[in-house]
Structures are given as structure tokens and as C-alpha cells.
Amino acid sequence: MQTKTIIIYSSVDGLTKKICHYIKDILILDNHLVDIFPINNFNQKITEYDKVIIASSIRYGKHNEQIENLIKENSELLNSKKTAFISVNLVARKVEKSKAETNPYVIKFFNAIEWKPTIIAVFPGKLDYKLYSFKDRILIKLIMLITKGPTNSKTVIEYTNWNEVDEFGKEFAKI
């Protein structure tokens, strides 16, 4: 019997979407039937799935509000299934903030909700100043200055460790 898995994500600049599609391919190879939806096009019933992955990038220090609402509205159901949460954020580029138990955004997020996923993953994001609006560029540069990150407007760095994404996908397939 194939495992029915749903992946629901929020992606501001496209990297979280890319990560989720990568994981989808891993799960398909492991005989999962996988549906994938951006949160703004999500209208399925989670009850129809055996496993659930929810992923969100960070913008202005917060995960997507629609993702957060989905989780709050379905926390009891989510707690009864095999689930995973993925946070994609630039703070995770620092090794000491790259785990669920050390990433400040993930800690704050899970202190505010009742869902306890089976697995939590934190992946570093991508810094690409040319993708950002003027306001976002200024704010992200300020954050990078404070956190000793790159501030050059031409900077494009994808911090994501794809081996870790691969390991996550294989681990989730086995739960």
C-alpha cells in the first residue's frame, strides 16, 4: 500500500518551494503518493493523508501567517499523524542556530502552538538581494550587518545544504 503524503508550503522567494519539490521527489522514489500545494492554493482535507509536511520560510522574523493558522486549526489532527515541519531561514546559516532546538524562530514558533511534529528540520535559506524590494533589501542588509553576514547588494548565496535536505527526505519516508 502506498503512503499518501501531502506537502503544504509557503515560499517568499522560491527556495522553500524548491526544497519541498526536492523532498517530494525523494518520497515518490520511496513509493509515496505525494500532493504538494502552496498555502495560498491549499483546499484539501488533511484527513485524507497518512503523512503531512508543512514548510515555511521566514520573513521579518515570522513564519507565514496562513501556515500558522492552518497549524492552529488542525493541531489535534496533526498530532495524530506522522508529520514534519520545515523552517527555512537565513539565521540557520550559522551552525549554532541550524537545529530546531537552537533556532530562535523555531523555538518561538513552537512555544506558541500546540502541534508537536514527528520531525522538525531547519534549513538555511538563500540570500539574493536583487530579488528583494527596496524596503526588504534595506532591512535584510541591516540584519546581515548586525549578524555579521554579507551586505553587498550583488551578493547571491544559497546556504542550503542539499545533503541535509536529502537526509531529511529519507528519514521522513521511513517514519
Side-chain angles (χ1 to χ4, degrees):
M1 183 177 119
Q2 288 188 308
T3 303
K4 285 185 71 177
T5 301
I6 187 167
I7 302 173
I8 308 160
Y9 68 89
S10 167
S11 188
V12 178
D13 298 316
L15 184 63
T16 305
K17 176 182 178 179
K18 183 178 173 182
I19 289 169
C20 288
H21 280 274
Y22 186 91
I23 292 167
K24 175 186 175 185
D25 292 344
I26 292 169
L27 295 175
I28 288 171
L29 289 173
D30 198 64
N31 204 30
H32 285 232
L33 288 171
V34 183
D35 290 331
I36 186 165
F37 297 93
I39 186 66
N40 55 349
N41 287 343
F42 177 69
N43 59 2
Q44 303 299 108
K45 292 186 191 252
I46 296 175
T47 54
E48 298 173 7
Y49 295 90
D50 305 308
K51 294 182 177 183
V52 181
I53 297 174
I54 299 176
S56 180
S57 57
I58 291 284
R59 189 53 61 106
Y60 301 125
K62 296 184 182 218
H63 291 97
N64 177 280
E65 188 176 339
Q66 288 176 283
I67 290 283
E68 194 169 336
N69 290 338
L70 174 77
I71 292 168
K72 285 179 178 177
E73 291 166 10
N74 293 281
S75 62
E76 191 173 321
L77 175 63
L78 290 168
N79 281 326
S80 72
K81 294 182 174 288
K82 301 291 185 187
T83 60
F85 180 75
I86 300 168
S87 178
V88 179
N89 61 77
L90 282 171
V91 169
R93 75 187 189 282
K94 296 186 173 200
V95 174
E96 67 274 13
K97 296 184 180 180
S98 65
K99 303 287 180 227
E101 51 280 350
T102 60
N103 187 278
Y105 297 130
V106 174
I107 293 167
K108 182 179 177 184
F109 185 69
F110 281 100
N111 282 337
I113 62 173
E114 305 220 357
W115 176 40
K116 303 298 178 219
T118 313
I119 303 173
I120 302 172
V122 181
F123 299 124
K126 179 178 180 179
L127 182 64
D128 188 347
Y129 286 111
K130 73 181 181 310
L131 293 178
Y132 310 141
S133 68
F134 178 75
K135 177 185 165 193
D136 285 350
R137 195 173 318 122
I138 297 301
L139 287 170
I140 293 170
K141 279 185 176 190
L142 178 61
I143 292 165
M144 285 294 143
L145 183 66
I146 292 167
T147 62
K148 297 178 177 43
T151 57
N152 184 311
S153 294
K154 295 179 181 170
T155 301
V156 177
I157 302 172
E158 187 175 303
Y159 292 99
T160 308
N161 180 330
W162 290 96
N163 289 331
E164 288 180 7
V165 177
D166 195 64
E167 288 173 25
F168 167 85
K170 290 174 181 172
E171 181 182 353
F172 186 78
K174 288 178 177 42
I175 65 166

